């Protein structure tokens, strides 16, 4: 157990639907990062939050949004789902605001859009 | 063109062999990370480097900032080292290599 908890582990949903993925960071970590790993694109950085504020944005689609709550857990919302959104979604947490510290990854949420 | 290139893409080794995985990048970075992803999908952060060399057990990571190149070495490889190794760089953005799939045969 890495200390970073992601739920659910698996999710199957239909095109056009909306889902919410949840991440609880390791105790003491203030940063949460979201990544998408698909078969054709590999790992891609989506977005980072630090202590409730958006810190950095990567290749996140407009249909996707995220937030970090006062208790530091984060949610990634994916809407108007398409088949191509099927992927593994990872979150990682870090104690620091910047990217130059070690990360702890969660075990991922496998999203299948049918 | 990918900002991060890894080689080789696939690697098969006999148990006990010394293994090297290479990573080259084309962007300015503030740090380079080596990640390990096991067949079950989980990702573990192995190293974060901004200069020089780091060692953890049988794993050694080096970086040459001038040449924009990093290597991950595994000494005395073991079947449990079988995984995908991913190089990632952080700077203005995050960029990931496509990974090196390592299989160590007993």
């Amino acid at each position: 157990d890495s200390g970073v908890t992601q739920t659910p582990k698996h999710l199957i949903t239909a095109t056009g639907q909306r889902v919410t993925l949840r991440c609880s960071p390791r105790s003491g970590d203030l940063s949460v990062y979201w990544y998408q790993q698909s078969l054709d694109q590999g790992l891609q950085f989506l977005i980072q939050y630090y202590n409730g504020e958006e810190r950095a944005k990567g290749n996140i689609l407009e249909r996707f949004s995220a937030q970090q709550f006062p208790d530091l857990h984060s949610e990634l919302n994916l809407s108007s789902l398409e088949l191509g959104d099927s992927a593994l979604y990872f979150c990682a947490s870090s104690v620091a605001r910047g990217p130059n510290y070690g990360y702890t990854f969660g075990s991922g949420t496998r999203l299948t859009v049918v | 063109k990918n900002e991060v290139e890894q080689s080789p893409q696939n690697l098969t080794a006999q148990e006990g062999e010394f293994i090297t995985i290479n990573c080259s990048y084309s962007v300015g970075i503030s740090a380079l990370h080596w990640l390990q992803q096991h067949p079950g999908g989980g990702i573990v952060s192995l190293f974060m480097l901004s200069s020089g060399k780091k060692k953890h057990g049988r794993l050694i990571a080096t970086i040459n900032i001038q040449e924009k190149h990093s290597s991950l070495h595994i000494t005395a490889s073991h079947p449990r080292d079988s995984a995908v190794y991913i190089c990632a760089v952080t700077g203005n953005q995050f960029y990931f290599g496509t990974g090196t799939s390592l299989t160590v045969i007993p």
Side-chain angles (χ1 to χ4, degrees):
Chain A
D1 180 11
S2 68
V4 177
T5 305
Q6 284 190 252
T7 56
K9 289 199 184 316
H10 302 274
L11 197 48
I12 301 175
T13 190
T15 54
Q17 294 298 305
R18 172 189 164 98
V19 297
T20 297
L21 311 184
R22 181 186 168 107
C23 172
S24 293
R26 199 177 57 158
S27 177
D29 286 356
L30 298 177
S31 272
V32 171
Y33 299 79
W34 285 100
Y35 302 94
Q36 179 194 57
Q37 186 178 39
S38 58
L39 279 174
D40 56 341
Q41 300 264 39
L43 261 171
Q44 290 194 93
F45 166 67
L46 297 178
I47 197 164
Q48 178 207 355
Y49 280 83
Y50 176 79
N51 205 20
E53 305 264 334
E54 183 183 303
R55 171 79 174 81
K57 212 166 189 176
N59 300 323
I60 188 166
L61 299 172
E62 283 191 15
R63 299 183 286 108
F64 295 1
S65 65
Q67 56 183 327
Q68 186 179 29
F69 294 86
D71 67 352
L72 300 177
H73 91 271
S74 178
E75 292 181 356
L76 179 67
N77 300 297
L78 316 175
S79 61
S80 303
L81 285 166
E82 301 174 0
L83 295 177
D85 297 327
S86 296
L88 261 172
Y89 291 85
F90 287 99
C91 80
S93 71
S94 171
V95 64
R97 183 196 322 225
N100 302 331
Y101 286 81
Y103 303 93
T104 303
F105 283 80
S107 55
T109 293
R110 185 174 296 277
L111 173 66
T112 303
V113 183
V114 297
Chain B
K1 183 188 183 302
N2 292 332
E3 289 80 3
V4 180
E5 301 275 0
Q6 283 185 240
S7 64
Q9 280 192 305
N10 297 286
L11 184 53
T12 300
Q14 292 288 331
E15 183 174 354
E17 283 186 11
F18 180 86
I19 287 161
T20 296
I21 300 170
N22 294 300
C23 174
S24 296
Y25 53 92
S26 59
V27 295
I29 70 167
S30 43
L32 182 143
H33 303 255
W34 281 103
L35 311 174
Q36 180 192 56
Q37 186 169 28
H38 278 283
I43 296 178
V44 174
S45 177
L46 297 175
F47 293 103
M48 193 276 294
L49 293 160
S50 52
S51 66
K53 177 178 171 176
K54 285 191 177 178
K55 184 174 188 290
H56 181 69
R58 295 178 295 105
L59 273 58
I60 303 165
T62 64
I63 188 168
N64 185 318
I65 298 292
Q66 286 72 33
E67 294 186 3
K68 295 190 172 182
H69 180 269
S70 175
S71 293
L72 176 68
H73 304 288
I74 305 175
T75 61
S77 59
H78 190 277
R80 65 175 174 267
D81 297 326
S82 298
V84 174
Y85 293 82
I86 301 168
C87 172
V89 299
T90 54
N92 293 332
Q93 255 281 9
F94 294 77
Y95 299 101
F96 293 89
T98 52
T100 294
S101 179
L102 171 65
T103 302
V104 181
I105 299 170

